[in-house]
Amino acid sequence: MAPISNPSVSRFERGVWWAAALFVSLFCTAIQLSITAPYHLTSFARMAHFTAVEPFQHRVLIPALAAAIEHLAPLGHHIVFGLLEVVTWLILIALAYRAVERFGIAENEALKRLLALTLVLPLAIVVLLPDLRVWPLLSPEAGTLDFGHWSARTLFYYPYDLPAAAFTLALLLAVADWGDRPEPRRLIGLALLFAIGTVNRETTLFVIPMAALMLAGRLPVARLALLLGLMGALYVAVQWPLHWIFADQPNPHAALGDTDYELHVTENLKLLSHPVYLLTEPVRFVGGCWLVVALWWRYIERRLQAAVLGLVVPLVLVGLVIGRIAEHRIFIEAVPILWLTGLQAIRGRLEVDAASTS
């Protein structure tokens, strides 16, 4: 006889899961606010008053929300940005559940919810762990050889980083859904999500090649061209005015042509040549998710492979040039994609093992 489901138990379990998600979100936010701080030229007060340097200030979605909340309620900068961070963690966990379900990672409801919570770990490794500073690696003292000067340096905190990961995961789901059912309402929802995500951070540019690779061969060329053209137009329509509005707030450390972006490729190559970074980076880089993806690439479905090739690879290459790789937050958009892809690779590998033993 089939077991009789108990709706009250199901509701109770969902309630416990949401409570767990809330406590995890509060905990991560508390750590974030206690061990990190914004760069002094992009402080909470500067961002909420729209006076931070470029290109940080035109990532204006979260600062604008914070300014609106502060206008409506007598709350300080830290609590407002903290509340927005808690909400973002909750949204990410909910999106993770949807992604696990959407890409067939698990069928059991309890397992889907448990796996959704695992997204927190690689994200926390990227945005919360301090940077490891070691120089020199080994040092002779009193006739013995010992470790050199090891220290942990806290990283900068920017409030648009975690939302960028949420928008990336949401857009991955939206692109997959529109590819399966290219209805006008889905296209409108995808376009709105892309536009709002672009207000948050300009790295939504990498979603365009991701969408192109994910949908190539699944949609008529004309329909795919419509989507890519729409996304390109929306990107320019959002980013150009933001650059113009904050043109009087340049980045004093900019070094890449006439832009407000910095150039760190030499610094990054020097860092990667250090033996300690060569030992620790495989785990630290995007939470180590890439290790599973590289090992079991053949078990990943084509759409998620396309997401990795279309977004993760170019994002990392650009980050090596204009970002400081010691600040792993610059790769945060890659984390949810590699996390999801890694879960699917594990699922595929287990299915192969099960088939071989049956």
Side-chain angles (χ1 to χ4, degrees):
M1 180 181 295
I4 299 174
S5 62
N6 188 335
S8 64
V9 172
S10 179
R11 285 194 294 269
F12 174 75
E13 290 176 345
R14 285 198 298 270
V16 170
W17 182 76
W18 276 112
L22 176 60
F23 281 113
V24 167
S25 302
L26 288 167
F27 180 71
C28 290
T29 301
I31 294 176
Q32 180 76 284
L33 293 177
S34 61
I35 69 172
T36 66
Y39 178 47
H40 69 94
L41 295 178
T42 62
S43 66
F44 288 147
R46 282 177 174 268
M47 284 186 282
H49 293 102
F50 309 108
T51 59
V53 298
E54 279 287 86
F56 308 102
Q57 184 62 76
H58 81 255
R59 300 162 184 172
V60 77
L61 178 65
I62 301 303
L65 289 174
I69 293 172
E70 291 177 15
H71 179 74
L72 297 173
L75 299 174
H77 298 309
H78 281 78
I79 193 169
V80 170
F81 280 97
L83 287 172
L84 291 172
E85 190 86 354
V86 170
V87 170
T88 305
W89 277 110
L90 284 170
I91 290 172
L92 268 164
I93 294 170
L95 287 170
Y97 169 81
R98 173 78 177 92
V100 167
E101 187 175 56
R102 177 69 177 77
F103 287 94
I105 307 299
E107 288 76 33
N108 181 273
E109 186 66 20
L111 182 57
K112 285 189 287 187
R113 295 185 183 279
L114 178 61
L115 289 175
L117 288 170
T118 64
L119 175 59
V120 173
L121 180 59
L123 282 173
I125 290 175
V126 169
V127 299
L128 298 182
L129 288 187
D131 179 35
L132 181 63
R133 285 288 169 175
V134 182
W135 207 272
L137 174 61
L138 298 172
S139 176
E141 293 186 10
T144 63
L145 188 64
D146 204 347
F147 285 122
H149 302 289
W150 294 57
S151 63
R153 187 183 66 174
T154 56
L155 300 178
F156 293 129
Y157 164 51
Y158 299 105
Y160 44 74
D161 287 339
L162 205 63
F167 278 113
T168 300
L169 187 53
L171 284 165
L172 174 72
L173 291 167
V175 170
D177 287 344
W178 192 71
D180 291 340
R181 298 177 62 185
E183 301 168 350
R185 65 181 181 85
R186 290 179 182 270
L187 179 60
I188 293 172
L190 172 57
L192 286 174
L193 184 63
F194 180 80
I196 297 171
T198 303
V199 175
N200 179 68
R201 190 148 108 167
E202 69 278 9
T203 45
T204 51
L205 178 65
F206 298 104
V207 174
I208 298 177
M210 180 189 78
L213 292 181
M214 286 181 66
L215 300 176
R218 298 177 61 87
L219 293 176
V221 174
R223 187 168 292 177
L224 178 57
L226 170 66
L227 173 65
L228 300 180
L230 176 62
M231 295 172 77
L234 285 172
Y235 187 87
V236 174
V238 170
Q239 281 295 309
W240 185 84
L242 289 175
H243 279 284
W244 179 77
I245 290 170
F246 298 108
D248 293 334
Q249 297 162 220
N251 182 354
H253 302 296
L256 190 61
D258 296 328
T259 72
D260 294 314
Y261 293 93
E262 302 171 17
L263 189 64
H264 293 285
V265 62
T266 303
E267 174 189 347
N268 291 334
L269 292 175
K270 180 181 179 182
L271 193 65
L272 288 175
S273 67
H274 194 285
V276 170
Y277 274 86
L278 291 177
L279 291 172
T280 59
E281 287 306 288
V283 173
R284 178 66 187 274
F285 178 64
V286 292
C289 296
W290 70 273
L291 291 165
V292 177
V293 174
L295 179 63
W296 291 329
W297 177 259
R298 62 187 180 279
Y299 300 116
I300 301 167
E301 68 164 274
R302 194 190 74 81
R303 286 178 302 175
L304 290 183
Q305 288 180 338
V308 172
L309 296 176
L311 187 145
V312 175
V313 172
L315 174 70
V316 170
L317 292 176
V318 171
L320 287 171
V321 175
I322 67 174
R324 295 182 66 253
I325 62 171
E327 296 184 57
H328 287 257
R329 42 160 288 276
I330 67 173
F331 303 123
I332 195 167
E333 291 92 343
V335 175
I337 291 179
L338 290 178
W339 162 83
L340 180 63
T341 310
L343 286 182
Q344 194 182 71
I346 294 171
R347 167 67 185 263
R349 185 68 177 87
L350 291 176
E351 287 179 342
V352 169
D353 285 347
S356 63
T357 56
S358 61

